[in-house]
Amino acid sequence: MTRIACFIVAFLALASSFASAYDPSPLQDFCVAVDDAKSAVFVNGKFCKDPKLVVADDFFKHIEAGNTSNIFGSAVTPVTVNELFGLNTLGISLARLDFAPKGLIPPHTHPRGTEILTVIEGTLYVGFVTSNPANGKNRLFAKVLNKGDVFVFPIGLPHFQFNVGYGNAVAISGISSQNPGVITIANAVFGSNPPISDEVLAKAFQVDKNTIKYLEKQFS
Ligand SMILES: *[C@@H]1O[C@H](CO)[C@@H](O)[C@H](O)[C@H]1NC(C)=O
């Protein structure tokens, strides 16, 4: 190969390693993520633990009810690749959702994953909103769910879960990414660091700047 061809091949190899940001299909049985590079091979953006060193506990995690003593009355306990290294490259994760009475998981999106939720205990009012239509309004799809009910929130769409029952509620969500990410909409808009300019937000939400300052104070 000429030197220029070598550069092109090297560049494409580099570009494709950056481009595999979506959860890839696994090329092996498993690729347990590991921090110690000495016992690792490098695959798909994370080090994989040497399979000879992998143990059952790499695929195991125990979770308990989350603490709902907070202003939202809810707790999300995630089990992503950051908590369970055996999930690496497998394109799936889980979260346990706990709710006190009237507890809310406020509108948020998962930029990288579809979520499928089942109610284990209690009654939840849940919903998601579509992306902007060509004309007309974003549609809300919402429903009250009881124990045993299942609901799906398509990838990237804003959604919420609210406990409308008399007692606590518990739900389990599977999410189609090892690292689905979460963008809580109010925090992203009114609580960013540094803040988005008041002028931008006042115009975007069609309110005065004092209202924006008030909202920002709630999320600072
Ligand atoms: C739950 O969180 C509250 C507020 O942070 C704290 O006071 C309380 O001790 C926590 N409860 C448990 C069981 O950890």
Side-chain angles (χ1 to χ4, degrees):
M1 269 196 293
T2 66
R3 191 175 299 178
I4 196 88
C6 284
F7 276 131
I8 291 169
V9 168
F11 175 77
L12 288 177
L14 198 63
S16 66
S17 72
F18 286 130
S20 68
Y22 243 76
D23 294 76
S25 300
L27 302 171
Q28 64 289 309
D29 282 355
F30 52 78
C31 165
V32 175
V34 68
D35 292 329
D36 174 16
K38 284 199 290 293
S39 54
V41 290
F42 189 75
V43 176
N44 290 326
K46 287 248 191 210
F47 291 113
C48 304
K49 194 173 185 181
D50 183 338
K52 288 194 294 293
L53 303 176
V54 168
V55 294
D57 276 350
D58 287 322
F59 305 101
F60 171 81
K61 182 94 192 162
H62 177 81
I63 56 171
E64 302 271 351
N67 186 341
T68 58
S69 301
N70 54 61
I71 51 167
F72 291 113
S74 70
V76 177
T77 307
V79 185
T80 70
V81 70
N82 301 314
E83 290 80 30
L84 178 52
F85 292 163
L87 282 175
N88 193 32
T89 78
L90 298 183
I92 195 168
S93 60
L94 173 149
R96 175 184 168 128
L97 316 180
D98 285 280
F99 302 83
K102 301 280 174 248
L104 172 70
I105 298 178
H108 64 283
T109 79
H110 303 294
R112 292 176 290 279
T114 288
E115 172 174 348
I116 182 167
L117 171 150
T118 185
V119 178
I120 303 299
E121 179 190 327
T123 304
L124 294 176
Y125 172 65
V126 307
F128 69 85
V129 177
T130 64
S131 56
N132 301 357
N135 46 43
K137 290 193 180 287
N138 307 68
R139 283 185 70 189
L140 169 68
F141 294 88
K143 210 166 158 62
V144 173
L145 306 180
N146 291 301
K147 182 175 177 173
D149 290 348
V150 174
F151 198 81
V152 63
F153 306 96
I155 183 169
L157 300 184
H159 58 279
F160 59 85
Q161 293 100 356
F162 185 43
N163 180 3
V164 290
Y166 293 107
N168 293 338
V170 181
I172 301 288
S173 283
I175 312 178
S176 64
S177 168
Q178 69 176 38
N179 183 27
V182 57
I183 302 167
T184 303
I185 292 167
N187 299 60
V189 174
F190 298 112
S192 71
N193 180 24
I196 300 174
S197 118
D198 286 356
E199 196 172 357
V200 168
L201 293 180
K203 185 135 191 162
F205 288 88
Q206 294 289 293
V207 295
D208 60 38
K209 287 186 190 173
N210 285 334
T211 306
I212 295 299
K213 283 195 171 60
Y214 174 80
L215 285 167
E216 283 175 339
K217 218 184 297 164
Q218 314 308 310
F219 295 96
S220 63

